[in-house]
Amino acid sequence: MDLNIREIVSDKIKKNGKMTFREFMDIALYYPGLGYYQKENPFGQQGSFYTSVDASESFGKSIAKGIFKSISQLNLEPNLCEMGAGSGLLANDILNYFKESEPNFYENMTYTIIEKSDYLINFQRENLKEHLDKLQWKSFKELNNFNGVFFSNELVDAFPVHRIISIGGEIKELYVIEHEGKFTFYPDNLSTAELSEYLDTLNIRLIDKQIADINLDSVVWIKDVGNKINKGLVITIDYGFMAEQLYAPFRMDGTVTCYFKHTQNNDFFERIGFQDITAFVDFSALKYYGEKSGLDFVNFFPQWTFLIASGIMDEFDNKNMTDLQRASLKSLIMPEGGFGTNFNVLIQSKGVICKSDFLYKKTSFQLLSELTERLS
């Protein structure tokens, strides 16, 4: 008899007595054939959540503009690599822009997608069938000596996390156990010393009974990214903050949350494999550990300022844009509300010098001034 995903979790807990939340989250999202990202398309109207990509094609077009300018300014090869391409909608918007607006660049470019879900790879191939001659799919392990722009959009927030809690001045880990037929949390000693090292390295201090979500997978990932890139730019778009804001005392319950059919909930142990589980990204960790693997810090700013720097304001010149399209476009760049509140972008580089006139070196103040002037 085939086991369902709840039975798989239960059996593992019975065997070991408990399970880290990181292992639970990994099973819920990525278990072959049963995890949330392994068996259905979770994006857009038919899925559990919307992304900036779903809001407007201008998101992808603006990123394409920024990538084109970056490659030109930094003298990079015309190579793009997107990790975790989801439905392929962002890749399609980017490739459409290059094909229509920069045909010479399109002719010479390559677009690599790193995706571990066979279901999503097949979905991407269908959505990107007009650009298949420009595309290649690789595993993360296969990517080496990359020259170009490596980027991700809402990838790191889906990495499984450890949950920890401060109790009477001592840091404990919140494990998943089964009690009276139900999954619940149970505090115990840390599963790995890496958690303590992470807290000490980033100077994270929790107050009593405060919960925090620690993404050790992101540390491994950003180190690998730095080692795999020979010369280029790394753009990480996600929701999250630097450590001092992410672990501030007002965040008593951590940031792990679930999405089921566009509704947020904290029912972690319900609808296992049928809802998204996600946590805010610690950009301080990506910055610090990225530097350890040769990635230089370029800038960290809100998504809306990143889009302005990339050239999204040019989209308002489109006189054929409908009122709905214009409203969707504005939702991407309004500092409050829309997609501008919790989404941030970290820019890193390797093997290049990003001078003061580099498009992503502008400050948020400069970009806010451009936005105000344009909208007025």
Side-chain angles (χ1 to χ4, degrees), residues 40-305:
E40 59 183 81
N41 175 28
F43 307 97
Q45 186 172 0
Q46 75 286 343
S48 290
F49 54 89
Y50 286 109
T51 68
S52 299
V53 182
D54 300 300
S56 172
E57 66 177 13
S58 295
F59 181 76
K61 291 174 66 177
S62 300
I63 290 176
K65 293 177 185 178
I67 287 175
F68 178 75
K69 294 174 186 175
S70 297
I71 286 176
S72 299
Q73 278 190 283
L74 302 177
N75 193 30
L76 300 175
E77 293 181 11
N79 300 323
L80 282 64
C81 180
E82 181 183 5
M83 185 165 179
S87 65
L89 185 57
L90 176 58
N92 194 55
D93 289 340
I94 290 173
L95 288 164
N96 282 343
Y97 172 80
F98 285 134
K99 187 174 184 178
E100 295 166 6
S101 302
E102 301 293 344
N104 291 334
F105 182 86
Y106 180 82
E107 182 67 25
N108 295 297
M109 70 175 293
T110 61
Y111 197 114
T112 302
I113 292 178
I114 296 175
E115 178 62 65
K116 64 181 181 179
S117 167
D118 290 337
Y119 175 87
L120 288 177
I121 288 174
N122 291 329
F123 199 84
Q124 291 160 9
R125 286 186 182 277
E126 178 60 28
N127 281 347
L128 293 163
K129 56 189 176 185
E130 294 184 6
H131 303 289
L132 288 179
D133 60 327
K134 295 295 162 191
L135 287 157
Q136 58 181 353
W137 279 261
K138 287 185 177 182
S139 67
F140 193 39
K141 185 177 181 179
E142 292 173 322
L143 184 72
N144 287 294
N145 298 315
F146 180 76
N147 182 322
V149 176
F150 178 100
F151 66 101
S152 63
N153 178 52
E154 295 191 50
L155 169 73
V156 184
D157 67 83
F159 290 177
V161 298
H162 293 264
R163 305 212 83 194
I164 61 172
I165 185 171
S166 177
I167 302 177
E170 189 175 2
I171 300 297
K172 296 287 188 179
E173 183 159 3
L174 289 174
Y175 292 84
V176 180
I177 64 169
E178 191 168 7
H179 179 68
E180 296 182 349
K182 294 183 178 181
F183 299 137
T184 189
F185 287 114
Y186 179 79
D188 207 338
N189 295 329
L190 299 180
S191 61
T192 172
E194 292 177 358
L195 291 168
S196 295
E197 293 170 5
Y198 184 101
L199 297 177
D200 291 341
T201 297
L202 298 177
N203 195 30
I204 298 168
R205 299 290 180 263
L206 305 179
I207 64 174
D208 193 41
K209 295 183 174 59
Q210 183 180 5
I211 296 172
D213 305 305
I214 306 300
N215 193 335
L216 295 181
D217 284 41
S218 71
V219 174
V220 176
W221 174 76
I222 197 63
K223 287 181 178 179
D224 285 344
V225 170
N227 291 330
K228 289 174 179 293
I229 291 179
N230 182 42
K231 179 181 179 181
L233 207 63
V234 179
I235 302 174
T236 306
I237 308 168
D238 224 313
Y239 55 91
F241 301 97
M242 289 294 184
E244 59 269 22
Q245 189 172 0
L246 186 62
Y247 305 110
F250 70 87
R251 295 191 197 277
M252 290 298 294
D253 299 320
T255 64
V256 170
T257 193
C258 305
Y259 288 93
F260 179 71
K261 296 190 182 303
H262 306 284
T263 301
Q264 184 179 0
N265 69 81
N266 288 324
D267 302 327
F268 308 115
F269 307 125
E270 301 296 326
R271 298 175 290 274
I272 303 173
F274 292 93
Q275 67 176 3
D276 188 31
I277 307 176
T278 180
F280 277 22
V281 173
D282 181 352
F283 282 102
S284 290
L286 298 184
K287 178 179 180 291
Y288 177 84
Y289 291 104
E291 289 173 344
K292 293 298 181 182
S293 62
L295 294 178
D296 297 321
F297 175 76
V298 177
N299 210 340
F300 174 73
F301 42 23
Q303 177 179 283
W304 63 272
T305 55

Side-chain angles (χ1 to χ4, degrees), residues 298-317:
V298 177
N299 210 340
F300 174 73
F301 42 23
Q303 177 179 283
W304 63 272
T305 55
F306 162 75
L307 290 174
I308 293 172
S310 298
I312 197 171
M313 299 307 295
D314 295 339
E315 294 294 294
F316 284 101
D317 295 334

